[in-house]
Amino acid sequence: MCASERKLSHTAVPAVLFFLCMASGMIIFPLNTAPFQELGPDGISMFFVSCIISQLVFSFGGSAFRGGTGGMMIEVVPFLHLMAETVVSRIGAENKEEVLATTILAFALSAVMTGAVFMSLGFFKLGSLIGFFPRHILVGCIGGVGWFLIVTGFEVSSRMTSELTYSWETFKFLFLDRHVFALWFVAFALALLLRALQQRIRHPFLVPGFFMAVPAAFYIVVAMAGLDWDTLRDDGWVFPMPLGNAPGWQFYTYFDIRKTNWAAVLDTVPAMMALTFFGILHVPINVPALGVSTGQDNVDINRELVAHGWSNMLSGCFGTLQNYLVYTNSVLFIKSGGDSRVAGLMLAAATLIVFLIGPWIVGYIPVMVVGSLIFHLGMDLVKEALVDTWGLVHRFEYLTIVLIVAFMAGMGFVEGIFLGILLACIFFVVTNSRKEGVRYNCTGASAKSTVRRVYRQQKFLRQVGRQIYIFKLQGDMFFGTINKVESSIQDVFERRRWESNPISFLVLDFSLVRGVDFSAAEGFARIRRAVRAKGVWLVLAGLDQDGEMAKALHMDGIWGAGSGAGLGEGHGSPSEIIDTRAFPGLSEALEFCENCLLEMFYKTRETAEEFSKRKQMLERPSQEDMSLMVSPEANAAKFFAENAASSPRKTHLFEAARETLFARDRPQPMNLQQPVPTLLAAFHDTRENPTDFFLRLSMYFERRIVMSGTVLWHQGGLPTDGIYLVESGTLRSVQEFQDCGMVRRSVEVILPGTISGEVGLFTGNNRVETLVSETDGVVWGLNQDGFQKMVKEDPALAVEFMRVAMSYSAERLNITAAYAFSLS
């Protein structure tokens, strides 16, 4: 800032703040309503005291902003008027002392109430809750306040002695009386002139300079024309001189508990609540906005709420009004060189001096200055609500803003606030009901568990995986979204779709669900009954047993006692009664479903083999009929043909089992020693390799017995152990990674007939996971030294082994990628 601008700011900022105080303080009481006509100076004094208290609280360290300025926001004036008019309607304008005592106490109590709410929100760290209230509802309330200020501008400028109404009499008074028209039109024209200048001049000191120039020009005209000040006051161009040269603390004489009407105070409680609600919505907007404007990051909203709590409670205890950290004044003050706590304390001291001087200065303030400032603020707020939002918000949101403004203008501010709350609820329901509760759905053919299985099991699961149907749920499950979820699930059971793809398992993944209300829990209970009627397992995934969602579903009988087992780990097999199972993760849920299908596969294989053996024993062919004897595979095929089930699901399982079992196997020698059978189980179906390949490969593996809990390698360690082939037992691969300060884990189960560690063996990279033996078992290891020995002694074997192992890894990569997609 250059020297001239700084010099201007030192005079302009106090001037504009002074006139803003005049404008706000003068209209604290409804001056056109008896018995408040002469209380303009008292309102200014109350405004000063509130500013002093808030400034001291903020400047003494209550606020993080060193140069923040506090004061009453002009937007709360409508609520103060409403309280004053409520008191008058209860007591009667003729009882002046009783009306003043009750009104001023109601003002103070409303400040205490506001401070208590601020203090509670800040103390319990609930500042973020305010941000959940829709912004467009607040914008609508601001537009309603702007309209009120425009109306107040007409009342103040025209020296109207009654409340402005939308009637023919008001129109005649404002437009057909030339003197009255001149009074308000000059102020209105000045406000329009200022807005026109703002379109051309973007300098921050335009507004302060304008409101310095207008009274200066008025005083020059008065001096040059030799006009009489008393005449100007009588004609309404200047505010009346306070009677009796009363001191600034005169409003304290109005307090009188004996004359307070407590029934009238109770009548003002709804207006107090509306004022408190409207006030607390500004802090989460003003504080972050001021932080951005002043370059202060990470401002603690809860600290600011506590500071507002102290300032408002103290203000109420001192018999004055609500106050806030005023964004516009603070930016103006800070940019003018007041970015320090000392400057804030000096501002409070200057305000105290003006308060002690007394309100006599009101008698020399031109009405047009205060009126134009009120018009300017009202137009600005209406523009912010109705013009600036056009095209930026949804049509429904804009309609809501217009309705709130119209309702406040026509019915009242409390009614408008409650309409805003009602519309906020409707908006929440409508908006969230439009969101899809189902993120996506897929079958088990594309999404599989992270369990490492032998190739033949994988082949079977690829064929029958579509009997597992997965719904990935998201967002909040409540009465507005559960219907769409139910409809999507019902589509799966639609007749034609069911006949083409019957399912055995319905998996509902709750990992992206934030909450479940009572209506949604009832909806899931209906889903459970529907799938049970179809003989389908309902499998729930992503539930924390101690979480609120799990408890809500448990209380509705969807899982837990009476509805199936509790949270499992995915290893079990199905019970005889088809019902609900719940698991902490999607992989565990899919593992359970896959195990159930594999159990059917192995039972079918055993039954088919037993049928074939029994058939051969019963027939016992003669020597001449040996050539006519059918093979075991033919007998098994006959078994499938004779036992084909009528159920589409079982037919599908039988067909998949037959295709898997009858896959053409290459002949294998009998009595093979380990680890050759395990190598064949792991790699037999991946590439065309003779048994001799696996015999030569087995020479480089070493047998190792592991106990439960044995750590085979750690994440980040060197790959010296190479690769492990599981003969018996179960291993668990755990990968940990940091995500936004949280430690997340990815778990993979490794079953017999599978391998682990091939990537580290071939690349030499450090381990990316920790490998632990989950049960006692036997593994076969090929370490780095053994692999290097293979490379030197039999390079062709080493190259083919790498191809075989990486083919296995590619298969695992596809499964892992599909599972990762299912988590998104």
Side-chain angles (χ1 to χ4, degrees):
M1 182 184 294
C2 65
S4 59
E5 288 181 337
R6 188 177 299 277
K7 184 177 179 180
L8 174 64
S9 69
H10 289 162
T11 55
V13 172
V16 73
L17 293 180
F18 173 76
F19 283 114
L20 185 60
C21 292
M22 294 294 109
S24 303
M26 283 292 296
I27 60 176
I28 285 176
F29 296 97
L31 301 180
N32 55 356
T33 303
F36 305 109
Q37 294 96 332
E38 301 175 355
L39 266 63
D42 295 303
I44 295 175
S45 297
M46 294 176 67
F47 187 95
F48 281 148
V49 174
S50 180
C51 288
I52 293 169
I53 293 173
S54 63
Q55 195 62 52
L56 290 175
V57 171
F58 295 149
S59 296
F60 271 118
S63 173
F65 300 100
R66 296 185 301 273
T69 62
M72 188 198 79
M73 291 190 303
I74 198 170
E75 289 93 332
V76 305
V77 170
F79 303 95
L80 300 177
H81 283 201
L82 179 60
M83 283 191 281
E85 292 164 358
T86 301
V87 172
V88 171
S89 64
R90 161 71 76 164
I91 301 174
E94 64 278 3
N95 301 312
K96 180 177 180 179
E97 294 183 353
E98 191 174 346
V99 168
L100 296 183
T102 304
T103 301
I104 203 166
L105 180 62
F107 285 0
L109 291 177
S110 67
V112 173
M113 178 186 291
T114 302
V117 173
F118 276 133
M119 183 71 73
S120 301
L121 291 173
F123 180 79
F124 293 105
K125 311 295 183 184
L126 300 176
S128 59
L129 292 180
I130 307 174
F132 287 100
F133 194 81
R135 175 68 186 276
H136 67 279
I137 303 297
L138 175 61
V139 171
C141 296
I142 290 175
V145 171
W147 179 259
F148 168 83
L149 291 177
I150 293 175
V151 171
T152 303
F154 282 108
E155 294 175 348
V156 172
S157 302
S158 64
R159 313 306 295 153
M160 189 178 292
T161 57
S162 61
E163 184 179 358
L164 187 147
T165 58
Y166 307 110
S167 62
W168 173 248
E169 288 74 16
T170 301
F171 180 83
K172 290 191 299 181
F173 175 78
L174 292 176
F175 290 92
L176 302 184
D177 188 316
R178 294 183 179 179
H179 179 69
V180 172
F181 180 81
L183 288 174
W184 70 261
F185 184 76
V186 171
F188 191 77
L190 287 172
L192 292 178
L193 174 62
L194 177 58
R195 299 204 67 81
L197 291 174
Q198 286 181 313
Q199 298 298 320
R200 294 178 174 270
I201 304 174
R202 301 293 182 180
H203 200 281
F205 294 109
L206 170 63
V207 175
F210 182 85
F211 284 107
M212 286 179 63
V214 171
F218 180 83
Y219 295 144
I220 291 173
V221 171
V222 170
M224 293 179 62
L227 300 176
D228 181 65
W229 283 96
D230 290 332
T231 303
L232 292 174
R233 295 186 186 100
D234 293 338
D235 290 342
W237 292 104
V238 180
F239 285 105
M241 184 70 71
L243 298 178
N245 196 21
W249 55 85
Q250 176 177 269
F251 69 91
Y252 282 115
T253 63
Y254 302 147
F255 283 96
D256 192 338
I257 298 298
R258 294 172 299 177
K259 295 181 180 180
T260 300
N261 189 310
W262 293 103
V265 172
L266 291 176
D267 289 344
T268 64
V269 170
M272 292 183 191
M273 297 175 63
L275 173 57
T276 301
F277 177 78
F278 182 76
I280 62 176
L281 295 179
H282 280 76
V283 177
I285 297 174
N286 290 346
V287 169
L290 186 58
V292 172
S293 299
T294 59
Q296 289 185 243
D297 299 326
N298 301 323
V299 177
D300 186 1
I301 187 70
N302 293 304
R303 173 185 175 180
E304 302 300 324
L305 286 171
V306 171
H308 280 74
W310 281 114
S311 65
N312 278 275
M313 292 180 70
L314 289 173
S315 184
C317 292
F318 276 86
T320 57
L321 309 162
Q322 288 87 355
N323 49 70
Y324 310 87
L325 187 69
V326 184
Y327 169 76
T328 306
N329 296 354
S330 298
V331 172
L332 191 62
F333 188 67
I334 291 171
K335 289 185 176 181
S336 302
D339 190 14
S340 69
R341 300 199 184 277
V342 174
L345 294 175
M346 292 176 64
L347 179 62
T351 308
L352 178 61
I353 292 173
V354 175
F355 168 75
L356 294 176
I357 290 175
W360 59 266
I361 196 173
V362 173
Y364 295 93
I365 298 176
V367 173
M368 66 179 69
V369 176
V370 176
S372 61
L373 182 55
I374 295 174
F375 276 129
H376 170 69
L377 295 173
M379 292 177 186
D380 201 48
L381 295 180
V382 172
K383 173 179 175 293
E384 178 184 346
L386 299 180
V387 178
D388 294 347
T389 56
W390 177 259
L392 296 179
V393 298
H394 190 272
R395 287 175 295 178
F396 178 79
E397 295 177 336
Y398 188 80
L399 176 62
T400 301
I401 294 172
V402 173
L403 288 176
I404 293 175
V405 174
F407 212 78
M408 282 187 165
M411 301 294 296
F413 280 88
V414 175
E415 292 83 355
I417 289 289
F418 285 114
L419 174 66
I421 295 174
L422 176 62
L423 291 176
C425 297
I426 296 175
F427 177 78
F428 173 81
V429 173
V430 172
T431 302
N432 284 275
S433 62
R434 289 178 177 177
K435 295 180 180 179
E436 292 294 335
V438 179
R439 187 177 182 87
Y440 68 86
N441 54 75
C442 61
T443 67
S446 58
K448 298 181 177 64
S449 71
T450 58
V451 178
R452 295 195 186 185
R453 303 184 185 275
V454 296
Y455 181 82
R456 182 157 291 188
Q457 292 179 355
Q458 295 177 15
K459 181 179 179 180
F460 175 74
L461 291 176
R462 277 198 297 269
Q463 297 178 18
V464 300
R466 59 192 180 95
Q467 291 207 15
I468 305 172
Y469 211 95
I470 306 159
F471 279 89
K472 187 79 169 182
L473 308 181
Q474 65 176 356
D476 293 296
M477 292 291 109
F478 71 111
F479 57 88
T481 56
I482 189 61
N483 290 331
K484 283 190 175 181
V485 174
E486 286 189 76
S487 177
S488 299
I489 294 175
Q490 289 295 338
D491 288 343
V492 177
F493 298 107
E494 191 267 333
R495 182 174 180 180
R496 291 183 179 178
R497 190 170 179 181
W498 175 262
E499 290 178 351
S500 63
N501 182 30
I503 67 173
S504 299
F505 302 91
L506 177 67
V507 181
L508 302 182
D509 186 4
F510 288 83
S511 57
L512 297 182
V513 176
R514 291 189 294 266
V516 177
D517 73 350
F518 178 76
S519 300
E522 288 292 322
F524 286 117
R526 292 191 295 270
I527 292 172
R528 172 179 171 269
R529 290 192 292 269
V531 299
R532 192 173 186 179
K534 286 286 188 177
V536 175
W537 278 85
L538 178 61
V539 183
L540 310 180
L543 290 177
D544 179 5
Q545 190 165 4
D546 298 324
E548 294 299 326
M549 283 190 298
K551 291 178 181 178
L553 298 175
H554 177 78
M555 291 181 66
D556 259 272
I558 300 170
W559 74 279
S563 299
L567 289 179
E569 296 184 357
H571 301 310
S573 60
S575 60
E576 294 298 326
I577 302 177
I578 293 180
D579 215 318
T580 306
R581 291 293 298 266
F583 298 92
L586 179 60
S587 180
E588 292 90 339
L590 293 175
E591 181 183 352
F592 167 79
C593 300
E594 292 169 356
N595 289 345
C596 296
L597 294 173
L598 288 171
E599 183 175 347
M600 177 66 180
F601 168 72
Y602 286 111
K603 284 183 178 179
T604 304
R605 186 181 69 174
E606 293 171 2
T607 305
E609 290 175 352
E610 291 177 1
F611 177 85
S612 178
K613 292 178 181 178
R614 191 165 53 250
K615 190 78 173 177
Q616 287 183 335
M617 291 178 64
L618 290 174
E619 290 181 355
R620 294 190 180 276
S622 59
Q623 187 70 24
E624 60 272 16
D625 295 330
M626 285 292 291
S627 59
L628 301 176
M629 190 182 79
V630 296
S631 65
E633 290 80 2
N635 283 326
K638 187 176 182 181
F639 162 79
F640 282 110
E642 294 178 357
N643 294 274
S646 58
S647 167
R649 286 175 297 190
K650 291 184 178 180
T651 300
H652 181 216
L653 288 172
F654 266 50
E655 291 294 330
R658 180 170 61 181
E659 184 176 342
T660 304
L661 290 173
F662 292 170
R664 185 175 298 277
D665 294 334
R666 293 185 293 275
Q668 302 179 15
M670 303 297 293
N671 301 321
L672 293 173
Q673 299 296 317
Q674 290 289 359
V676 177
T678 308
L679 287 171
L680 287 168
F683 303 122
H684 180 65
D685 296 308
T686 56
R687 288 176 61 85
E688 294 286 342
N689 284 299
T691 306
D692 179 66
F693 166 78
F694 296 101
L695 287 171
R696 288 187 293 137
L697 184 62
S698 66
M699 297 170 56
Y700 295 93
F701 281 82
E702 296 179 357
R703 188 173 185 269
R704 178 179 175 183
I705 299 175
V706 294
M707 307 301 293
S708 176
T710 302
V711 179
L712 299 177
W713 61 64
H714 289 277
Q715 183 173 343
L718 296 175
T720 54
D721 291 339
I723 189 174
Y724 281 112
L725 173 69
V726 183
E727 176 185 338
S728 63
T730 304
L731 305 182
R732 184 175 291 264
S733 172
V734 181
Q735 183 178 3
E736 296 183 351
F737 54 94
Q738 295 284 338
D739 182 16
C740 299
M742 298 178 60
V743 178
R744 299 187 181 275
R745 294 178 176 84
S746 174
V747 180
E748 190 176 10
V749 179
I750 302 172
L751 298 181
T754 59
I755 62 171
S756 179
E758 67 277 7
V759 176
L761 175 67
F762 301 142
T763 63
N765 294 334
N766 291 346
R767 299 298 188 184
V768 296
E769 78 283 334
T770 299
L771 189 65
V772 183
S773 176
E774 194 172 53
T775 62
D776 297 344
V778 177
V779 297
W780 291 82
L782 173 62
N783 57 27
Q784 285 284 359
D785 293 338
F787 180 67
Q788 294 302 323
K789 181 181 178 181
M790 183 193 306
V791 172
K792 293 179 180 179
E793 296 178 352
D794 196 341
L797 176 66
V799 171
E800 182 61 23
F801 174 57
M802 291 179 63
R803 291 175 177 173
V804 169
M806 296 314 294
S807 297
Y808 180 88
S809 296
E811 181 72 20
R812 284 302 311 153
L813 181 61
N814 292 334
I815 295 175
T816 304
Y819 177 73
F821 173 77
S822 68
L823 295 178
S824 61

